[in-house]
Amino acid sequence: MSKKYHVTITVNGDEYEYLCEPQQTLLDALRDELMLTGTKEGCATGDCGACTVMVNGTMICACLMLAVEADGKQVETIEGMAKGEELHPLQRNFLELNGLQCGICTPGILIAAKALLERNPDPTETEVRYWLAGNLCRCTGYDKIIRSVLAAAREMRGA
C-alpha cells in the first residue's frame, strides 16, 4: 500500500481536505474525493480540454496535475461558475443558443471561455476560436459554442 498524502485546497472559495495517492490526478481528487463531478474526463492526456479548471488563476488540464500538487492552491471549477441559482451569462447563453450537446466538453469550454472574457471582455470571433482551440467538442461543430461566447461577452459588457 502506498503512502497517502494530506492535501488542503480551496475550491470555488471553500476549503477542503483530502487524502490522496501520490499518482492520483487533480481531476480524480475533485471527482472522487470532493464529489465535485462537474469537471469531466475526456482523454486523460491533456488533449481535449474537458477537464479544464483554473488553478491560482491559470487554466490547466486537471488530468495532468497531480492532486498533491494542488496543496495550498486556489481552484475554480464549473461548480463555482453560477452564483446560487443565477447562471453565469456564459452558462445562460450556452443554454439559450444551444452551445452544448452531450455536455462532456461543456464544463471545460465554459471555464476556458470565462478565463478569456476576464482577460478580454470584447474578443473577436477569431480570438474566441483561438482561445478555445484546446477544447475539443465532438458534437456541436463549434459554431454555436462561438456564438454563445460572443453573446455572453456582449451581455457582460452591457452591449
Side-chain angles (χ1 to χ4, degrees), residues 94 99 105 109 132 137 140 142-149:
F94 265 64
C105 68
I109 290 173
L132 298 181
C137 176
T140 67
Y142 300 99
D143 188 56
K144 292 178 182 178
I145 292 171
I146 304 305
R147 282 190 276 160
S148 299
V149 173

Side-chain angles (χ1 to χ4, degrees), residues 46-53 59-61 94 104-115 128-138 140-142 145-146:
D47 293 317
C48 75
C51 66
T52 301
V53 296
M59 261 187 346
I60 64 111
C61 290
F94 265 64
I104 297 295
C105 68
T106 306
I109 290 173
L110 286 168
I111 293 294
K114 183 175 181 271
V128 173
R129 288 182 183 277
Y130 179 80
W131 189 271
L132 298 181
N135 294 84
L136 303 180
C137 176
R138 294 171 178 93
T140 67
Y142 300 99
I145 292 171
I146 304 305

Side-chain angles (χ1 to χ4, degrees), residues 4-110:
K4 290 202 174 200
Y5 291 87
H6 179 261
V7 174
T8 302
I9 184 174
T10 302
V11 182
N12 303 320
D14 296 323
E15 189 172 288
Y16 293 90
E17 294 183 47
Y18 57 84
L19 293 175
C20 63
E21 303 283 337
Q23 73 279 6
Q24 188 174 17
T25 65
L26 176 58
L27 173 62
D28 289 336
L30 290 170
R31 294 180 59 80
D32 301 338
E33 309 304 330
L34 306 183
M35 302 304 152
L36 298 171
T37 58
T39 304
K40 306 298 185 213
E41 180 176 334
C43 66
T45 59
D47 293 317
C48 75
C51 66
T52 301
V53 296
M54 301 295 289
V55 177
N56 286 354
T58 301
M59 261 187 346
I60 64 111
C61 290
C63 72
L64 297 180
M65 182 176 192
L66 294 174
V68 296
E69 294 177 296
D71 190 33
K73 302 231 179 351
Q74 304 277 329
V75 177
E76 295 173 49
T77 69
I78 192 67
E79 286 89 353
M81 201 164 186
K83 300 296 180 214
E85 296 296 314
E86 183 182 341
L87 294 178
H88 186 279
L90 280 163
Q91 293 170 307
R92 193 171 41 260
N93 279 282
F94 265 64
L95 286 172
E96 291 172 4
L97 300 175
N98 301 311
L100 60 107
Q101 299 261 325
C102 79
I104 297 295
C105 68
T106 306
I109 290 173
L110 286 168

